[in-house]
Amino acid sequence: MSTQLVLLAVLMLLVTYPSRALGLLAPAMDRLPRRALDYLQLVGPAILAALAAVNVMVVVTDAGPQLHVGLEWLAVGACLAVVAWRRNLFLGLVVAVVIAILGRAAGV
């Protein structure tokens, strides 16, 4: 495992945790306008979606970054559909992982 990945994980923790923990750390969080609360609740999922999009759509080769279309697109699309339908991120992630595992086992 590369130490760069550990540093990236720590950086991601430092960026995403405060937005999630803001409700615990700020005593008057419930008095914020509803629009601000809606925005803060969507910061974490937006960051995760951006990271997933880059990891799924872009492959870095010797020639530089290139667009990649593959099984991962299906897995992420299915995850998004399940999350929108069931309002359950965990279930969506499980569906995406199962699609990736089955697709790779089938040689796709």
Side-chain angles (χ1 to χ4, degrees):
M1 181 178 193
S2 172
T3 57
Q4 290 178 338
L5 295 178
V6 174
L7 293 174
L8 178 63
V10 170
L11 179 64
M12 288 172 49
L13 172 81
L14 293 174
V15 171
T16 59
Y17 180 74
S19 68
R20 288 296 193 179
L22 196 57
L24 299 172
L25 301 175
M29 193 67 186
D30 56 339
R31 290 187 282 182
L32 283 174
R34 183 70 196 155
R35 192 168 188 170
L37 289 173
D38 291 342
Y39 173 79
L40 289 173
Q41 288 180 344
L42 294 176
V43 168
I47 291 171
L48 289 174
L51 290 170
V54 169
N55 286 322
V56 167
M57 296 179 181
V58 178
V59 174
V60 179
T61 63
D62 293 336
Q66 296 179 348
L67 183 66
H68 168 72
V69 177
L71 176 68
E72 298 87 358
W73 284 50
L74 175 65
V76 170
C79 178
L80 289 173
V82 169
V83 170
W85 175 48
R86 302 297 296 174
R87 302 279 185 218
N88 188 334
L89 178 61
F90 179 72
L91 183 60
L93 291 173
V94 168
V95 167
V97 168
V98 168
I99 289 172
I101 289 171
L102 294 176
R104 291 199 175 137
V108 176

Coordinates of all heavy atoms in Angstrom, one line a residue:
M1 N 0.8 -1.2 0.0 CA 0.0 0.0 0.0 C 0.9 1.2 0.0 O 1.8 1.3 0.8 CB -0.9 0.0 1.2 CG -1.8 1.1 1.3 SD -2.9 0.9 2.7 CE -4.1 2.1 2.5
S2 N 0.6 2.2 -0.8 CA 1.3 3.4 -1.0 C 1.0 4.3 0.2 O -0.1 4.4 0.7 CB 1.0 4.0 -2.3 OG 1.6 5.3 -2.4
T3 N 2.1 5.0 0.6 CA 1.8 6.0 1.7 C 1.0 7.2 1.2 O 0.4 7.9 2.0 CB 3.2 6.5 2.3 OG1 4.0 7.1 1.2 CG2 3.9 5.4 2.9
Q4 N 1.0 7.4 -0.1 CA 0.2 8.5 -0.7 C -1.3 8.2 -0.5 O -2.0 9.1 -0.2 CB 0.5 8.6 -2.2 CG 1.8 9.2 -2.5 CD 2.1 9.2 -4.0 OE1 1.4 8.5 -4.8 NE2 3.0 10.1 -4.4
L5 N -1.7 7.0 -0.5 CA -3.1 6.6 -0.3 C -3.5 6.9 1.2 O -4.6 7.3 1.4 CB -3.4 5.2 -0.7 CG -3.2 4.8 -2.1 CD1 -3.5 3.4 -2.4 CD2 -4.1 5.7 -3.0
V6 N -2.6 6.6 2.1 CA -2.8 6.9 3.5 C -3.0 8.4 3.7 O -3.9 8.9 4.4 CB -1.7 6.4 4.4 CG1 -2.0 6.8 5.8 CG2 -1.7 4.8 4.3
L7 N -2.1 9.2 3.1 CA -2.2 10.7 3.2 C -3.5 11.2 2.5 O -4.1 12.1 3.1 CB -1.0 11.3 2.5 CG 0.4 11.1 3.2 CD1 1.5 11.6 2.4 CD2 0.3 11.7 4.6
L8 N -3.9 10.6 1.4 CA -5.1 11.0 0.8 C -6.3 10.7 1.7 O -7.2 11.5 1.8 CB -5.3 10.2 -0.6 CG -6.6 10.5 -1.3 CD1 -6.7 12.0 -1.7 CD2 -6.6 9.6 -2.5
A9 N -6.3 9.5 2.3 CA -7.4 9.2 3.2 C -7.5 10.1 4.4 O -8.6 10.6 4.8 CB -7.2 7.7 3.8
V10 N -6.3 10.5 4.9 CA -6.3 11.5 6.0 C -6.8 12.9 5.6 O -7.6 13.5 6.2 CB -4.9 11.6 6.7 CG1 -4.8 12.8 7.6 CG2 -4.5 10.3 7.3
L11 N -6.4 13.3 4.4 CA -6.9 14.5 3.8 C -8.4 14.5 3.6 O -9.1 15.5 3.9 CB -6.2 14.8 2.5 CG -6.6 16.1 1.8 CD1 -6.2 17.3 2.6 CD2 -5.9 16.2 0.4
M12 N -8.9 13.4 3.1 CA -10.4 13.2 2.9 C -11.1 13.3 4.2 O -12.2 13.9 4.3 CB -10.7 11.9 2.1 CG -10.3 12.0 0.7 SD -10.4 10.4 -0.1 CE -12.0 9.9 0.3
L13 N -10.5 12.7 5.2 CA -11.2 12.8 6.6 C -11.2 14.2 7.0 O -12.3 14.7 7.5 CB -10.4 11.9 7.5 CG -10.8 12.1 9.0 CD1 -12.0 11.2 9.2 CD2 -9.7 11.7 9.9
L14 N -10.1 14.9 6.9 CA -10.1 16.3 7.3 C -11.0 17.2 6.6 O -11.6 18.2 7.1 CB -8.7 16.9 7.2 CG -7.6 16.2 8.1 CD1 -6.2 16.8 7.8 CD2 -8.0 16.5 9.6
V15 N -11.3 16.9 5.3 CA -12.2 17.7 4.5 C -13.7 17.4 4.7 O -14.5 18.2 4.8 CB -11.8 17.6 3.0 CG1 -12.9 18.2 2.1 CG2 -10.5 18.2 2.8
T16 N -14.0 16.1 4.8 CA -15.4 15.7 4.9 C -15.9 15.6 6.3 O -17.1 15.8 6.5 CB -15.6 14.3 4.2 OG1 -14.8 13.3 4.8 CG2 -15.3 14.4 2.7
Y17 N -15.1 15.3 7.3 CA -15.6 15.1 8.7 C -16.2 16.4 9.2 O -17.3 16.3 9.8 CB -14.5 14.6 9.6 CG -15.1 14.4 11.0 CD1 -15.9 13.3 11.3 CD2 -14.7 15.3 12.0 CE1 -16.4 13.2 12.6 CE2 -15.2 15.1 13.3 CZ -16.1 14.0 13.6 OH -16.6 13.9 14.8
P18 N -15.6 17.5 9.1 CA -16.2 18.8 9.7 C -17.6 19.1 9.2 O -18.4 19.5 9.9 CB -15.2 19.9 9.3 CG -13.9 19.2 9.2 CD -14.2 17.8 8.6
S19 N -17.8 18.8 7.9 CA -19.1 19.1 7.4 C -20.2 18.2 7.9 O -21.3 18.5 8.1 CB -19.1 19.0 5.8 OG -18.9 17.7 5.4
R20 N -19.8 16.9 8.2 CA -20.7 16.0 8.8 C -20.9 16.2 10.3 O -21.9 16.0 10.9 CB -20.2 14.5 8.6 CG -20.3 14.1 7.2 CD -21.8 14.1 6.9 NE -22.0 13.3 5.7 CZ -23.2 13.2 5.2 NH1 -24.2 13.7 5.8 NH2 -23.4 12.6 4.1
A21 N -19.8 16.6 11.0 CA -19.8 16.8 12.5 C -20.3 18.2 12.9 O -20.4 18.5 14.1 CB -18.4 16.5 13.0
L22 N -20.6 19.0 11.9 CA -21.0 20.4 12.2 C -22.2 20.4 13.1 O -22.3 21.3 14.0 CB -21.2 21.2 10.9 CG -21.3 22.7 11.0 CD1 -20.0 23.2 11.6 CD2 -21.5 23.3 9.6
G23 N -23.1 19.5 12.9 CA -24.3 19.5 13.7 C -24.0 19.1 15.2 O -24.7 19.6 16.1
L24 N -23.0 18.3 15.4 CA -22.6 18.0 16.8 C -21.8 19.1 17.4 O -21.8 19.3 18.6 CB -21.8 16.7 16.8 CG -22.6 15.5 16.3 CD1 -21.6 14.3 16.1 CD2 -23.7 15.1 17.2
L25 N -21.0 19.8 16.6 CA -20.0 20.7 17.1 C -20.6 22.1 17.3 O -20.2 22.9 18.2 CB -18.8 20.8 16.2 CG -18.0 19.5 16.0 CD1 -16.9 19.7 15.0 CD2 -17.5 19.0 17.3
A26 N -21.6 22.5 16.6 CA -22.3 23.8 16.7 C -23.6 23.6 17.5 O -24.5 23.0 17.0 CB -22.5 24.3 15.3
P27 N -23.7 24.3 18.6 CA -24.9 24.1 19.5 C -26.2 24.7 18.9 O -27.2 24.2 19.2 CB -24.5 24.8 20.8 CG -23.4 25.8 20.4 CD -22.7 25.2 19.2
A28 N -26.1 25.7 18.0 CA -27.3 26.3 17.5 C -27.6 25.9 16.1 O -28.1 26.7 15.3 CB -27.2 27.8 17.6
M29 N -27.2 24.7 15.7 CA -27.3 24.3 14.3 C -28.7 24.2 13.8 O -29.0 24.5 12.7 CB -26.7 22.9 14.2 CG -26.4 22.4 12.9 SD -25.2 23.3 12.1 CE -25.3 22.6 10.5
D30 N -29.6 23.9 14.7 CA -31.1 23.8 14.3 C -31.7 25.2 14.0 O -32.7 25.3 13.4 CB -31.9 23.1 15.4 CG -31.8 23.8 16.7 OD1 -30.8 24.5 17.0 OD2 -32.6 23.5 17.6
R31 N -31.0 26.3 14.4 CA -31.5 27.6 14.1 C -31.1 28.2 12.8 O -31.5 29.2 12.4 CB -31.1 28.6 15.2 CG -31.9 28.3 16.5 CD -31.6 29.3 17.5 NE -30.3 29.0 18.1 CZ -29.8 29.7 19.1 NH1 -30.4 30.7 19.6 NH2 -28.6 29.3 19.6
L32 N -30.2 27.4 12.0 CA -29.8 27.9 10.7 C -31.0 27.8 9.8 O -31.9 27.0 10.0 CB -28.7 27.0 10.1 CG -27.3 27.2 10.7 CD1 -26.4 26.1 10.1 CD2 -26.8 28.5 10.3
P33 N -31.0 28.6 8.7 CA -32.1 28.6 7.7 C -32.1 27.2 7.1 O -31.1 26.5 7.0 CB -31.7 29.6 6.7 CG -30.7 30.5 7.3 CD -30.1 29.7 8.4
R34 N -33.3 26.7 6.7 CA -33.5 25.4 6.2 C -32.7 25.2 4.9 O -32.1 24.1 4.7 CB -35.0 25.2 5.8 CG -35.3 23.9 5.3 CD -35.2 22.8 6.4 NE -35.1 21.5 5.8 CZ -34.5 20.5 6.4 NH1 -34.0 20.6 7.6 NH2 -34.5 19.3 5.8
R35 N -32.5 26.2 4.1 CA -31.7 26.1 2.9 C -30.2 25.8 3.3 O -29.6 25.1 2.6 CB -31.8 27.4 2.1 CG -31.3 27.3 0.8 CD -31.7 28.5 -0.1 NE -31.3 28.3 -1.4 CZ -31.6 29.1 -2.4 NH1 -32.4 30.1 -2.2 NH2 -31.2 28.8 -3.6
A36 N -29.7 26.4 4.3 CA -28.3 26.2 4.7 C -28.2 24.8 5.2 O -27.2 24.1 5.0 CB -27.9 27.2 5.8
L37 N -29.1 24.3 6.0 CA -29.1 22.9 6.5 C -29.1 21.9 5.3 O -28.4 20.9 5.3 CB -30.2 22.6 7.5 CG -30.1 23.3 8.8 CD1 -31.4 23.1 9.6 CD2 -29.0 22.8 9.6
D38 N -30.0 22.2 4.3 CA -30.0 21.3 3.2 C -28.7 21.2 2.5 O -28.2 20.2 2.0 CB -31.1 21.7 2.2 CG -32.5 21.5 2.8 OD1 -32.7 20.7 3.7 OD2 -33.5 22.1 2.3
Y39 N -28.1 22.4 2.3 CA -26.8 22.5 1.7 C -25.7 21.7 2.4 O -25.0 20.9 1.9 CB -26.3 23.9 1.5 CG -24.9 24.1 1.0 CD1 -24.6 23.9 -0.3 CD2 -23.9 24.3 1.9 CE1 -23.4 24.0 -0.8 CE2 -22.6 24.4 1.4 CZ -22.3 24.3 0.1 OH -21.0 24.4 -0.4
L40 N -25.7 21.9 3.7 CA -24.6 21.2 4.5 C -24.8 19.7 4.5 O -23.9 18.9 4.6 CB -24.7 21.7 6.0 CG -24.1 23.1 6.1 CD1 -24.4 23.6 7.6 CD2 -22.7 23.2 5.8
Q41 N -26.1 19.2 4.4 CA -26.3 17.8 4.4 C -25.9 17.1 3.1 O -25.6 16.0 3.0 CB -27.8 17.5 4.6 CG -28.2 17.7 6.1 CD -29.7 17.4 6.3 OE1 -30.5 17.3 5.3 NE2 -30.1 17.3 7.5
L42 N -25.8 17.9 2.0 CA -25.4 17.4 0.7 C -23.9 17.6 0.4 O -23.5 17.1 -0.6 CB -26.2 18.1 -0.4 CG -27.7 17.8 -0.3 CD1 -28.4 18.7 -1.4 CD2 -28.0 16.4 -0.5
V43 N -23.1 18.2 1.3 CA -21.7 18.4 1.0 C -21.0 17.0 1.0 O -20.2 16.7 0.1 CB -21.1 19.3 2.1 CG1 -19.6 19.3 2.0 CG2 -21.6 20.7 1.9
G44 N -21.2 16.2 2.0 CA -20.5 14.9 2.0 C -20.8 14.0 0.8 O -19.9 13.5 0.1
P45 N -22.1 13.8 0.5 CA -22.5 13.0 -0.7 C -21.9 13.6 -2.0 O -21.5 12.9 -2.9 CB -24.0 12.9 -0.7 CG -24.4 13.1 0.7 CD -23.3 14.0 1.3
A46 N -21.9 14.9 -2.1 CA -21.4 15.5 -3.3 C -19.9 15.2 -3.5 O -19.4 15.0 -4.6 CB -21.6 17.0 -3.3
I47 N -19.1 15.3 -2.4 CA -17.7 15.0 -2.4 C -17.5 13.5 -2.8 O -16.6 13.2 -3.7 CB -17.0 15.3 -1.1 CG1 -17.0 16.8 -0.9 CG2 -15.6 14.8 -1.0 CD1 -16.6 17.3 0.5
L48 N -18.3 12.6 -2.2 CA -18.1 11.2 -2.6 C -18.5 11.0 -4.0 O -17.8 10.2 -4.7 CB -19.0 10.4 -1.7 CG -18.6 10.2 -0.2 CD1 -19.6 9.5 0.6 CD2 -17.2 9.5 -0.1
A49 N -19.5 11.6 -4.5 CA -19.9 11.5 -5.9 C -18.8 12.0 -6.9 O -18.6 11.4 -7.9 CB -21.2 12.2 -6.2
A50 N -18.2 13.1 -6.5 CA -17.1 13.6 -7.4 C -15.9 12.7 -7.4 O -15.3 12.4 -8.5 CB -16.7 15.0 -6.8
L51 N -15.6 12.1 -6.2 CA -14.5 11.1 -6.2 C -14.8 9.9 -7.0 O -14.0 9.4 -7.7 CB -14.2 10.8 -4.8 CG -13.5 11.9 -3.9 CD1 -13.5 11.4 -2.5 CD2 -12.1 12.2 -4.4
A52 N -16.0 9.4 -6.9 CA -16.5 8.2 -7.7 C -16.4 8.5 -9.2 O -16.0 7.7 -9.9 CB -17.8 7.8 -7.2
A53 N -16.9 9.7 -9.6 CA -16.9 10.0 -11.0 C -15.5 10.0 -11.6 O -15.3 9.5 -12.7 CB -17.6 11.4 -11.2
V54 N -14.6 10.6 -10.9 CA -13.2 10.7 -11.4 C -12.6 9.3 -11.5 O -12.0 8.9 -12.5 CB -12.4 11.6 -10.5 CG1 -10.9 11.4 -10.9 CG2 -12.8 13.0 -10.7
N55 N -12.9 8.5 -10.5 CA -12.3 7.1 -10.5 C -12.9 6.2 -11.5 O -12.3 5.2 -11.9 CB -12.4 6.5 -9.1 CG -11.4 7.1 -8.1 OD1 -10.3 7.4 -8.5 ND2 -11.8 7.3 -6.9
V56 N -14.2 6.5 -11.9 CA -14.9 5.6 -12.8 C -14.6 6.1 -14.2 O -14.5 5.2 -15.1 CB -16.4 5.6 -12.5 CG1 -17.2 5.0 -13.6 CG2 -16.6 4.9 -11.2
M57 N -14.6 7.3 -14.5 CA -14.6 7.9 -15.9 C -13.2 8.1 -16.4 O -13.1 8.2 -17.6 CB -15.4 9.2 -15.9 CG -16.8 9.0 -15.6 SD -17.6 10.6 -15.7 CE -19.3 10.1 -15.3
V58 N -12.2 8.3 -15.6 CA -10.9 8.7 -16.1 C -9.9 7.7 -15.8 O -9.8 7.2 -14.6 CB -10.5 10.1 -15.4 CG1 -9.1 10.5 -15.9 CG2 -11.5 11.2 -15.8
V59 N -9.1 7.3 -16.8 CA -7.9 6.4 -16.6 C -6.7 7.2 -17.0 O -6.7 7.8 -18.1 CB -8.1 5.2 -17.5 CG1 -6.9 4.3 -17.4 CG2 -9.3 4.4 -17.0
V60 N -5.7 7.2 -16.2 CA -4.4 7.8 -16.5 C -3.5 6.8 -17.2 O -3.1 5.8 -16.6 CB -3.8 8.5 -15.3 CG1 -2.5 9.2 -15.6 CG2 -4.8 9.5 -14.6
T61 N -3.1 7.1 -18.4 CA -2.1 6.3 -19.1 C -0.9 7.1 -19.4 O -0.8 8.3 -19.0 CB -2.7 5.8 -20.4 OG1 -3.0 7.0 -21.3 CG2 -4.0 5.0 -20.2
D62 N 0.1 6.5 -20.1 CA 1.3 7.2 -20.4 C 1.0 8.4 -21.3 O 1.7 9.4 -21.3 CB 2.3 6.3 -21.2 CG 2.8 5.2 -20.2 OD1 2.8 5.4 -19.0 OD2 3.2 4.2 -20.7
A63 N 0.0 8.3 -22.1 CA -0.4 9.5 -23.0 C -1.2 10.5 -22.3 O -1.4 11.6 -22.8 CB -1.3 8.9 -24.1
G64 N -1.6 10.3 -21.0 CA -2.3 11.3 -20.2 C -3.7 10.7 -19.8 O -4.0 9.6 -20.1
P65 N -4.5 11.5 -19.2 CA -5.8 11.1 -18.8 C -6.7 10.8 -20.0 O -6.7 11.6 -21.0 CB -6.4 12.2 -17.9 CG -5.4 13.3 -18.0 CD -4.2 12.9 -18.8
Q66 N -7.5 9.7 -19.9 CA -8.4 9.4 -21.0 C -9.7 8.9 -20.4 O -9.8 8.4 -19.3 CB -7.8 8.2 -21.8 CG -6.5 8.6 -22.6 CD -6.0 7.4 -23.4 OE1 -6.5 6.3 -23.2 NE2 -5.0 7.7 -24.2
L67 N -10.8 9.2 -21.2 CA -12.1 8.7 -20.8 C -12.2 7.2 -20.9 O -11.8 6.6 -21.8 CB -13.2 9.4 -21.7 CG -14.6 9.1 -21.4 CD1 -14.9 9.7 -20.0 CD2 -15.5 9.6 -22.4
H68 N -12.8 6.6 -19.9 CA -12.9 5.2 -19.8 C -14.4 4.8 -19.6 O -15.0 5.3 -18.7 CB -12.1 4.6 -18.6 CG -12.4 3.2 -18.3 ND1 -12.0 2.2 -19.1 CD2 -13.1 2.6 -17.2 CE1 -12.4 1.0 -18.5 NE2 -13.0 1.3 -17.4
V69 N -14.9 3.9 -20.5 CA -16.2 3.4 -20.4 C -16.2 2.0 -20.1 O -15.5 1.2 -20.8 CB -17.1 3.7 -21.7 CG1 -18.4 3.1 -21.5 CG2 -17.1 5.2 -22.0
G70 N -16.8 1.5 -19.0 CA -16.7 0.1 -18.7 C -17.7 -0.3 -17.7 O -18.7 0.4 -17.4
L71 N -17.5 -1.4 -17.0 CA -18.4 -2.0 -16.1 C -18.6 -1.1 -14.9 O -19.7 -1.1 -14.3 CB -17.8 -3.3 -15.5 CG -18.5 -4.1 -14.4 CD1 -19.9 -4.6 -15.0 CD2 -17.7 -5.2 -13.9
E72 N -17.7 -0.3 -14.5 CA -17.8 0.6 -13.4 C -19.0 1.6 -13.6 O -19.6 2.0 -12.6 CB -16.5 1.4 -13.2 CG -15.3 0.5 -12.8 CD -14.6 0.0 -14.0 OE1 -15.0 0.3 -15.2 OE2 -13.6 -0.7 -13.9
W73 N -19.2 2.0 -14.8 CA -20.3 3.0 -15.1 C -21.6 2.3 -14.8 O -22.5 2.9 -14.2 CB -20.3 3.3 -16.6 CG -19.2 4.3 -17.0 CD1 -17.9 4.3 -16.7 CD2 -19.4 5.5 -17.7 NE1 -17.3 5.3 -17.2 CE2 -18.2 6.1 -17.9 CE3 -20.5 6.1 -18.3 CZ2 -18.0 7.3 -18.5 CZ3 -20.4 7.3 -18.9 CH2 -19.1 7.9 -19.1
L74 N -21.8 1.0 -15.1 CA -23.0 0.3 -14.8 C -23.2 0.2 -13.3 O -24.3 0.4 -12.7 CB -23.0 -1.1 -15.4 CG -24.1 -2.0 -15.1 CD1 -25.4 -1.5 -15.6 CD2 -23.9 -3.4 -15.6
A75 N -22.1 -0.1 -12.6 CA -22.1 -0.2 -11.1 C -22.5 1.1 -10.4 O -23.4 1.1 -9.6 CB -20.8 -0.8 -10.6
V76 N -21.9 2.2 -10.9 CA -22.2 3.5 -10.3 C -23.6 3.9 -10.6 O -24.4 4.4 -9.8 CB -21.2 4.5 -10.7 CG1 -21.6 5.9 -10.3 CG2 -19.8 4.2 -10.1
G77 N -24.1 3.7 -11.9 CA -25.4 4.0 -12.2 C -26.4 3.2 -11.4 O -27.5 3.8 -11.0
A78 N -26.2 1.9 -11.2 CA -27.1 1.1 -10.4 C -27.1 1.6 -9.0 O -28.2 1.6 -8.4 CB -26.7 -0.4 -10.5
C79 N -26.0 2.0 -8.5 CA -25.9 2.5 -7.1 C -26.7 3.8 -7.0 O -27.5 3.9 -6.0 CB -24.4 2.8 -6.7 SG -24.3 3.5 -5.1
L80 N -26.6 4.7 -7.9 CA -27.4 5.9 -7.9 C -28.9 5.6 -8.0 O -29.7 6.2 -7.3 CB -27.0 6.8 -9.1 CG -25.6 7.5 -8.9 CD1 -25.2 8.2 -10.2 CD2 -25.6 8.4 -7.7
A81 N -29.2 4.7 -8.9 CA -30.7 4.3 -9.0 C -31.2 3.8 -7.7 O -32.3 4.1 -7.3 CB -30.8 3.4 -10.2
V82 N -30.5 2.9 -7.1 CA -31.0 2.2 -5.9 C -31.1 3.3 -4.7 O -32.0 3.3 -4.0 CB -30.1 1.1 -5.5 CG1 -30.4 0.6 -4.0 CG2 -30.2 -0.1 -6.4
V83 N -30.1 4.1 -4.7 CA -30.1 5.2 -3.6 C -31.3 6.1 -3.8 O -32.0 6.5 -2.9 CB -28.8 6.0 -3.6 CG1 -28.9 7.2 -2.7 CG2 -27.7 5.0 -3.1
A84 N -31.5 6.5 -5.1 CA -32.7 7.4 -5.3 C -34.0 6.7 -5.1 O -35.0 7.3 -4.6 CB -32.6 7.9 -6.8
W85 N -34.1 5.4 -5.4 CA -35.3 4.6 -5.2 C -35.6 4.3 -3.7 O -36.7 4.5 -3.2 CB -35.2 3.4 -6.1 CG -36.4 2.4 -5.9 CD1 -37.7 2.7 -5.9 CD2 -36.3 1.0 -5.7 NE1 -38.4 1.6 -5.8 CE2 -37.6 0.5 -5.6 CE3 -35.2 0.1 -5.6 CZ2 -37.8 -0.8 -5.4 CZ3 -35.5 -1.2 -5.4 CH2 -36.8 -1.7 -5.3
R86 N -34.6 3.8 -3.0 CA -34.8 3.3 -1.7 C -34.3 4.3 -0.6 O -34.5 4.0 0.6 CB -34.0 2.0 -1.5 CG -34.4 0.9 -2.4 CD -35.9 0.5 -2.3 NE -36.1 -0.1 -1.0 CZ -37.2 -0.4 -0.5 NH1 -38.3 -0.2 -1.2 NH2 -37.3 -0.9 0.7
R87 N -33.6 5.3 -1.0 CA -33.0 6.3 0.0 C -32.1 5.6 1.0 O -32.1 5.9 2.2 CB -34.1 7.0 0.7 CG -35.1 7.8 -0.1 CD -34.5 9.1 -0.5 NE -35.5 9.9 -1.2 CZ -35.2 10.6 -2.2 NH1 -34.0 10.7 -2.6 NH2 -36.1 11.3 -2.8
N88 N -31.3 4.7 0.5 CA -30.4 3.9 1.3 C -29.1 3.8 0.6 O -28.9 3.0 -0.3 CB -31.0 2.5 1.6 CG -30.3 1.7 2.6 OD1 -29.1 1.9 2.8 ND2 -30.9 0.8 3.2
L89 N -28.1 4.5 1.1 CA -26.7 4.5 0.5 C -26.1 3.2 0.7 O -25.4 2.7 -0.3 CB -25.9 5.6 1.1 CG -24.4 5.7 0.6 CD1 -24.4 6.0 -0.9 CD2 -23.7 6.8 1.4
F90 N -26.2 2.6 1.8 CA -25.6 1.3 2.0 C -26.0 0.2 1.0 O -25.2 -0.5 0.4 CB -25.8 0.8 3.5 CG -25.2 -0.6 3.7 CD1 -23.8 -0.7 3.9 CD2 -25.9 -1.7 3.9 CE1 -23.2 -1.9 4.1 CE2 -25.4 -2.9 4.1 CZ -24.0 -3.0 4.2
L91 N -27.3 0.2 0.8 CA -27.9 -0.8 -0.1 C -27.4 -0.5 -1.6 O -27.0 -1.4 -2.3 CB -29.4 -0.7 -0.1 CG -30.2 -1.7 -1.0 CD1 -29.8 -3.2 -0.6 CD2 -31.6 -1.5 -0.9
G92 N -27.3 0.8 -1.9 CA -26.8 1.1 -3.2 C -25.3 0.7 -3.4 O -24.9 0.2 -4.5
L93 N -24.5 0.9 -2.4 CA -23.1 0.5 -2.4 C -23.0 -1.0 -2.5 O -22.1 -1.5 -3.3 CB -22.3 1.0 -1.2 CG -22.1 2.5 -1.1 CD1 -21.5 2.9 0.2 CD2 -21.3 3.0 -2.3
V94 N -23.8 -1.7 -1.8 CA -23.8 -3.2 -1.9 C -24.1 -3.6 -3.3 O -23.5 -4.5 -3.9 CB -24.7 -3.8 -0.9 CG1 -25.0 -5.3 -1.1 CG2 -24.2 -3.6 0.5
V95 N -25.1 -3.0 -3.9 CA -25.5 -3.4 -5.3 C -24.3 -3.1 -6.3 O -24.0 -3.9 -7.1 CB -26.7 -2.6 -5.7 CG1 -27.0 -2.7 -7.2 CG2 -28.0 -3.1 -5.0
A96 N -23.7 -2.0 -6.1 CA -22.5 -1.6 -7.0 C -21.4 -2.6 -6.8 O -20.8 -3.0 -7.8 CB -22.0 -0.2 -6.7
V97 N -21.1 -3.0 -5.6 CA -20.0 -3.9 -5.3 C -20.3 -5.3 -5.9 O -19.5 -6.0 -6.5 CB -19.7 -4.0 -3.8 CG1 -18.8 -5.2 -3.5 CG2 -19.1 -2.7 -3.3
V98 N -21.6 -5.7 -5.8 CA -22.0 -7.0 -6.3 C -21.9 -7.0 -7.8 O -21.4 -8.0 -8.4 CB -23.4 -7.4 -5.8 CG1 -23.9 -8.6 -6.6 CG2 -23.4 -7.7 -4.4
I99 N -22.3 -5.9 -8.5 CA -22.2 -5.8 -9.9 C -20.7 -5.9 -10.3 O -20.3 -6.6 -11.3 CB -22.8 -4.6 -10.4 CG1 -24.4 -4.7 -10.3 CG2 -22.4 -4.3 -11.9 CD1 -25.1 -3.4 -10.6
A100 N -19.8 -5.2 -9.6 CA -18.4 -5.2 -10.0 C -17.8 -6.6 -9.8 O -17.0 -7.0 -10.6 CB -17.7 -4.1 -9.1
I101 N -18.1 -7.2 -8.7 CA -17.6 -8.6 -8.4 C -18.1 -9.6 -9.5 O -17.3 -10.3 -10.0 CB -18.0 -9.0 -7.0 CG1 -17.2 -8.3 -6.0 CG2 -17.7 -10.5 -6.9 CD1 -17.7 -8.5 -4.6
L102 N -19.4 -9.6 -9.8 CA -19.9 -10.5 -10.8 C -19.3 -10.2 -12.2 O -19.0 -11.1 -12.9 CB -21.4 -10.5 -10.8 CG -22.1 -11.0 -9.5 CD1 -23.6 -10.8 -9.6 CD2 -21.8 -12.4 -9.3
G103 N -19.2 -8.9 -12.5 CA -18.7 -8.6 -13.8 C -17.2 -9.0 -14.0 O -16.8 -9.5 -15.0
R104 N -16.4 -8.8 -13.0 CA -15.0 -9.1 -13.0 C -14.9 -10.6 -13.0 O -14.0 -11.2 -13.7 CB -14.3 -8.5 -11.9 CG -14.2 -7.0 -12.2 CD -13.1 -6.3 -11.4 NE -13.1 -4.9 -11.8 CZ -13.0 -3.9 -11.0 NH1 -12.9 -4.1 -9.7 NH2 -13.0 -2.6 -11.5
A105 N -15.7 -11.3 -12.3 CA -15.6 -12.8 -12.3 C -16.0 -13.4 -13.6 O -15.5 -14.4 -14.0 CB -16.6 -13.4 -11.2
A106 N -16.9 -12.7 -14.3 CA -17.3 -13.1 -15.7 C -16.3 -12.7 -16.7 O -16.5 -13.1 -17.9 CB -18.7 -12.6 -16.0
G107 N -15.3 -11.9 -16.4 CA -14.3 -11.4 -17.3 C -14.7 -10.2 -18.1 O -14.1 -9.9 -19.1
V108 N -15.7 -9.5 -17.7 CA -16.1 -8.2 -18.4 C -15.2 -7.1 -18.1 O -14.8 -6.9 -17.0 CB -17.6 -7.8 -18.0 CG1 -18.0 -6.5 -18.6 CG2 -18.5 -8.9 -18.3

